[in-house]
């Protein structure tokens, strides 16, 4: 087997070039004039930014035959050359590792899942390495080298240092994940908080395209939130942001695994719902599917637990909206399976909690399967490759 | 009396020019190389941005004789020409109007206060007009025209529309304040939320200089918060942002004037403290000074009320820090007079509420008298004048 051709990341040092790349990725193919309009850059600045990206082969230019005017010069369109490089994105949940192989346009080419039975960092890492190896083998078929890998886990993740500071679900503390994953895969590794990674994908390709200020609220095992403010994902000065699961909304509320009481997650997270449904029904309830089934069968106690969870989520969204006033809130996560059980409470509580015109915020739901989260991890690897993580 | 020379606002259309202006205002005098370093602009982009600002006289350039090197060319320093234009900033509280006359560097030249006895918009407007007239007369002495006026009030303010949507303290709803103030003063008027205006001043000249992500929490009649994320003040897509006073932190808490229960402001705002100190002591307590005196004299009931207020403020700061992860939180406002009574509770509750490394955020206090808030209003007028409100 011959080695695929190697592509090396060409540094794209300027914020303008990064902005041009991500704009073309989200909205392309675009004319240079259109790039200028969308990025607020002058024609000269666009030309200057496009040049190194073209030289590296990340952007390509061609005539759009369909848009050829009957008179005059045809419009040259600039687009990202998806085939120029491949990336791997991995999302680690408490039960499963989901990995995708994407191109430079972050289109998923191959997806793989594997169940995990232990959350021990070493075991998770070796399962990840095996999955990555499968994808690297698939990548050989494309004749393009895999240029980087993104790893997304929940919790307090320091992307710059490559360290998972604290992940309550995985019970990890201070795991130097980037270094460890790089050692076992041989790839440049970017680690990030999973909701933040998903937010990057949503900003580039999803309901966040062209929306400078939005929040992505994820409901499921944890209650998370990714934020885009002034067109950029919020990372927090110390790596923590969007931690709405640990907003304490009731001093008399249940204890949370983080050490506080009355956190949103301690009321509306999967584990809290499962436990509480077991308590109120007196039945042995061991997972979300059972809790959900009881509620869907009409058990009033179980339905009440979901209603309270909806109120907690609505209150958390109200907090985000009062603090940041985003244009849009996107609700997603595996917890959407229960959405019919708490949609009304989310909306009513949010509407009551929102101050003044903040209530005008557009609240929508959007199912995003775990492949999409893994795609978000691949997006963070593309950010690192292109050097757009600060744009 | 001869008319002072008129200065007209010269449009500064590019984001780069706005960025150069505010950078020079905060950090100047600066060499062009230093401007480039701080703004991430190329030498050519700096030159292009500086040119129209120089032509309009907003920026001036001169040799720094002290920094003259023994060999080689002296460094040319660029600075804002403060004397080029004057501005008026007005802050309206429930009892008082505070107005300042500033130069283009937002330095206060003259300050005036007037008590108000009614919060009726018409009455407040005519008191404001009288105060502005005094400052316009003072401005004549400088031989420079007043180029704009900023008006800062609490609540949900739509700066773009010039409308106070809802100000609970003033009991105003949908007051077209910019239009009304423009009619009585003849000046271009910018209206904004008062905490947001103060945040602009703090970002340009205060504890926010050079800090890309910070929160300014104000404690007093209301509990407010101004936010800077990615170097820009957060305004909210619909005009509301930083409304931490109306985060509901306790479903069993006291009713709030906004219609919810357990809001931070319903526990820690001046009126709530005064009422509660009256209740627990059984004394007639009519204002903050009396409540404060009781607590400072050691009344255990009064001290307890302040302790609870401190917890509510700490919890609100915890919410901001968990959502945004700012580098710094600045606590200010007239409520700092009681700071010794609740500092410990603020710090302890914040530390417990902050998730993971978010607790590393630097929390500091900073007394900012009402003149500083009025200066913030003048800063918003300078933003409108220069066209920097989007930077």
């Amino acid at each position: 087997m011959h080695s695929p051709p190697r592509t090396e990341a060409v540094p794209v040092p300027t914020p303008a070039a990064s902005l041009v790349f991500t704009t073309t990725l989200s909205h392309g193919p675009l004319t240079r004039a259109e790039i200028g309009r969308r990025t607020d850059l002058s024609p000269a600045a666009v030309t200057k930014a496009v040049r190194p990206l073209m030289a590296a082969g990340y952007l390509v230019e061609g005539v759009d035959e369909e848009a050829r005017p009957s008179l005059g010069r045809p419009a040259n369109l600039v687009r990202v050359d998806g085939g120029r490089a491949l990336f791997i994105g991995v999302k680690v949940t408490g039960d499963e590792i989901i990995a995708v192989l994407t191109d430079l346009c972050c289109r998923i080419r191959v997806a793989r899942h594997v169940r995990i039975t232990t959350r021990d960092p070493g075991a998770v890492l070796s399962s990840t390495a095996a999955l990555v190896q499968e994808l690297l083998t698939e990548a050989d078929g494309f004749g393009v080298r895999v240029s980087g890998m993104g790893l997304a886990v929940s919790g307090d993740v320091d992307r710059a240092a490559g360290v998972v500071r604290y992940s309550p679900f995985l019970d990890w503390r201070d795991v130097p994940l980037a270094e460890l994953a790089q050692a076992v895969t041989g790839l440049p590794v970017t680690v990030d908080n999973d909701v933040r990674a998903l937010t990057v994908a949503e900003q580039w390709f999803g309901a966040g395209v062209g929306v400078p200020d939005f929040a992505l609220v994820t409901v499921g095992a944890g209650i998370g939130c990714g934020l885009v403010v002034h067109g950029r994902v919020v990372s927090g000065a110390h790596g923590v942001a969007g931690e709405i699961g640990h907003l304490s909304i009731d001093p008399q509320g249940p204890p949370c695994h983080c050490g506080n009481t009355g956190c949103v997650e301690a009321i509306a997270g999967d584990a809290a719902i499962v436990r509480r449904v077991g308590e109120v029904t007196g039945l042995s309830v061991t997972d979300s599917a059972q809790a959900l089934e009881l509620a869907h069968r009409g058990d009033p106690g179980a339905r009440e637990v979901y209603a309270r969870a909806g109120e907690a989520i609505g209150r958390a969204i109200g907090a985000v909206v009062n603090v940041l006033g985003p244009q849009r809130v996107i609700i997603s996560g595996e917890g959407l399976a229960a959405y019919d059980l708490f949609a009304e409470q989310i909306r009513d509580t949010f509407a009551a909690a929102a101050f003044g015109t903040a209530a005008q915020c557009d609240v929508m739901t959007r199912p995003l399967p775990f492949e999409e989260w893994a795609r978000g991890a691949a997006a963070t690897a593309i950010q690192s490759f292109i050097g757009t993580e600060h744009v």
Side-chain angles (χ1 to χ4, degrees), chain A:
Chain A
M1 192 189 79
H2 86 279
S3 287
R6 306 209 141 212
T7 66
E8 298 300 335
V10 176
V12 180
T14 71
S18 305
L19 189 58
V20 164
F21 179 83
T22 51
T23 302
T24 310
L25 189 60
S26 291
H27 302 280
L30 294 173
T31 63
R32 284 160 187 257
E34 185 68 10
I35 293 173
R37 201 185 59 75
R38 287 182 181 270
T39 57
D40 238 341
L41 292 170
S42 68
V46 171
T47 297
K48 196 178 157 194
V50 163
R51 197 178 301 128
L53 293 166
M54 292 258 179
Y58 305 153
L59 296 185
V60 288
E61 195 165 18
V63 172
D64 181 355
E65 291 299 334
E66 290 183 19
R68 184 185 282 273
S70 54
L71 288 171
R73 282 200 306 170
N76 259 340
L77 292 179
V78 178
R79 62 180 173 81
V80 174
D81 181 5
R84 182 69 175 81
L86 292 173
F87 298 87
I88 290 173
V90 177
K91 148 90 171 159
V92 180
T93 77
D95 325 300
E96 203 182 12
I97 302 171
I98 303 96
V100 296
L101 180 71
T102 78
D103 63 14
L104 183 57
C105 287
C106 211
R107 285 179 294 230
I108 297 176
R109 301 298 190 93
V110 183
R112 290 273 186 283
H113 293 216
V114 67
R115 305 288 300 174
I116 51 171
T117 50
T118 159
R119 297 172 185 183
D120 169 73
V124 169
L125 208 63
S126 69
S127 298
T128 302
L131 213 50
V132 167
Q133 200 48 57
E134 285 184 42
L135 292 180
L136 287 173
T137 304
E138 294 276 354
D140 281 345
F142 294 99
V144 180
R145 192 188 178 205
V146 173
S147 298
M149 166 182 166
L151 242 167
V153 300
S154 67
D156 175 357
V157 180
D158 184 337
R159 173 172 174 159
V163 173
V164 179
R165 298 251 173 255
Y166 173 46
S167 177
F169 285 109
L170 296 168
D171 197 20
W172 291 4
R173 275 188 194 274
D174 296 317
V175 176
L177 190 61
E179 193 188 329
L180 296 172
Q182 195 149 343
V184 295
T185 65
L187 295 171
V189 175
T190 303
V191 302
D192 210 336
N193 169 277
D194 57 350
V195 181
R196 210 147 57 209
L198 182 63
T199 304
V200 174
E202 206 55 11
Q203 183 188 28
W204 284 3
F205 312 110
V209 171
V211 183
D213 298 283
F214 73 90
L216 170 65
V217 172
T218 60
V219 176
I223 310 292
C225 179
L227 295 165
V228 170
V229 177
H230 302 145
R232 288 171 55 192
V233 174
V234 177
S235 296
H238 302 285
V240 167
E243 277 297 346
I244 62 168
H246 299 284
L247 293 179
S248 171
I249 55 168
D250 183 357
Q252 261 73 54
C256 182
H257 57 76
C258 78
N260 276 319
T261 55
C263 290
V264 172
E265 202 159 289
I267 299 166
D270 279 348
I273 291 176
V274 167
R275 189 176 49 246
R276 191 79 189 121
V277 168
E279 283 168 12
V280 300
T281 60
L283 300 169
S284 161
V285 181
T286 56
D287 63 22
S288 293
Q290 290 176 8
L292 201 54
E293 204 202 325
L294 281 168
H296 276 149
R297 283 209 316 247
D299 182 284
R303 293 186 76 87
E304 182 66 17
V305 172
Y306 280 97
R308 292 292 84 74
E311 287 171 8
I313 296 164
R315 205 173 273 243
I317 295 175
V320 169
V321 164
N322 284 347
V323 168
L324 282 170
Q327 187 177 338
R328 174 172 291 175
V329 173
I330 306 156
I331 306 176
S332 192
E334 68 277 21
L336 281 193
Y339 199 68
D340 59 308
L341 294 168
F342 51 45
E344 196 186 322
Q345 287 79 9
I346 290 179
R347 286 180 185 273
D348 288 355
T349 313
F350 157 71
F355 182 79
T357 47
Q360 291 172 15
C361 170
D362 161 33
V363 179
M364 61 181 285
T365 57
R366 199 168 129 78
L368 294 166
F370 280 133
E371 277 87 0
E372 203 60 32
W373 294 62
R375 187 189 190 202
T380 67
I382 295 175
Q383 285 184 320
S384 298
F385 179 72
I386 296 286
T388 63
E389 66 267 42
H390 302 303
V391 173

